[in-house]
Amino acid sequence: MNRDSIVRTPYYGAVSTRGTEAPRAACADEDPELFFPIGDSGLALLQEGEAKAVCGRCPLLESCLQGALERGEDYGVFGGLSAKERRSLKRRAARNRAA
């Protein structure tokens, strides 16, 4: 399948889509369970660290975190932060807005 094509737009005429493929999330090829450790001690902390390492090499880290905050994700590692860290971040942001 050829991913390169020419797209005609009313604003720019013919535009090539070559090289404009969206970045792929680093977690796309990982086991989803990695990002949902059960508990907050022992092996769960190791698993959380592994998930955060995957996030650390992801080109979509910031948008992933923003999406998790907007959706109110209560569990799992998103955008390099655990659920507990995201709750803390939201509380801090709320205090800053109130001040």
Side-chain angles (χ1 to χ4, degrees):
M1 183 172 151
N2 184 0
R3 292 193 178 275
D4 298 330
S5 59
I6 300 295
V7 178
R8 297 208 178 273
T9 68
Y11 305 105
Y12 302 107
V15 177
S16 173
T17 61
R18 180 180 304 243
T20 60
E21 196 168 306
R24 184 169 165 85
C27 62
D29 296 322
E30 299 288 336
D31 182 351
E33 289 187 22
L34 174 65
F35 299 91
F36 294 92
I38 297 173
D40 56 3
S41 63
L43 291 177
L45 288 178
L46 292 174
Q47 184 177 343
E48 184 179 291
E50 289 179 30
K52 288 179 177 183
V54 172
C55 293
R57 64 177 188 264
C58 185
L60 303 175
L61 180 120
E62 290 179 21
S63 62
C64 179
L65 176 58
Q66 187 63 38
L69 293 170
E70 290 171 0
R71 291 186 308 273
E73 294 286 353
D74 291 331
Y75 305 99
V77 174
F78 288 91
L81 297 181
S82 67
K84 184 177 180 180
E85 292 166 328
R86 289 192 307 278
R87 283 191 296 272
S88 176
L89 183 67
K90 287 176 90 167
R91 282 193 302 271
R92 215 172 320 138
R95 279 195 305 268
N96 290 340
R97 282 192 303 272

